[in-house]
Amino acid sequence: MTVTVDGTVITNRVIPAGLVIAANDVTVQGNIIEGPTALSFDQAALRVEGERVKILDNLIRGTSASDWTQDPINGVKLVGASVQFARNDVNHIAGDGISLYGEGATVIGNWVHDFVVRDGGAHYDGLHYPTPGNDQAMAALIQDNTIELWVLGSVDSGMTAALGLPDLSPGIVVDHNLIAGGNYALMGGGPGTTITRNLFWTKFSDEVGFYGPAAYVGESGDVVWTDNAYTDDGSSEGAPLGP
């Protein structure tokens, strides 16, 4: 399904072969969205190209009637500006869980979990903000999310980072998230990034990630890092964690 009419509202539907939002001011709430949108490198269960789109309270997963078995499926690609992505359950994805490309995204209260293990060199991130070359990322709020990316006991497992940030990322706020797994739970973050009150969960590994809780944080300049800590049970704050 591709939405091309501004202001469209989609509620309480089952969308079995992916959803593309190519219009502005669209609201998508309370649906089951299954992927992929296309059998290509850029496939995803949900791709948002429009501006000021609201994606709320949906179940988004990689299983569908389409033949998605040959290539990794990405979960969500947020390309348009000022997208609200809140309280969604993203699961059974065989690629990146959530990817941010547009300015001003708010990603709040989502659960990303139960990734599908796939051979062939795919490298997954639970939630990441990729940027081309040395371009810096734009503002985003990443708050109150639970991101669980398995640790499979090998650098070749395909699990990269539960939360991945670009080296130049002014205006990105990462606050009060629960993150676990990956080779590192958190990778990246540079000048202007604010990382506060996050819990690094030992659910899959005593080290949080295969190699540790965080890497490459502040390598291109200082970040604001306060009140981040370990947790053994996913809720109680344990020992404090430095950058």
Side-chain angles (χ1 to χ4, degrees), residues 119-204:
D119 296 328
H123 293 282
Y124 307 173
D125 288 312
L127 190 159
H128 71 161
Y129 203 147
T131 53
N134 293 320
D135 292 346
Q136 67 185 29
M138 296 170 282
L141 174 62
I142 302 169
Q143 186 176 60
D144 293 328
N145 302 284
T146 297
I147 308 166
E148 303 178 33
L149 187 67
W150 292 334
V151 172
L152 300 180
S154 169
V155 68
D156 297 321
S157 67
M159 305 300 178
T160 305
L163 178 58
L165 302 174
D167 293 333
L168 299 174
S169 46
I172 292 182
V173 175
V174 179
D175 176 65
H176 201 246
N177 300 280
L178 176 63
I179 56 177
N183 283 330
Y184 290 97
L186 172 66
M187 293 180 67
T193 306
T194 299
I195 303 173
T196 57
R197 303 190 305 149
N198 299 283
L199 291 179
F200 289 75
W201 193 6
T202 58
K203 178 176 183 177
F204 303 119

Side-chain angles (χ1 to χ4, degrees), residues 189-193 218-224:
T193 306
E219 285 203 340
S220 57
D222 292 337
V223 302
V224 176

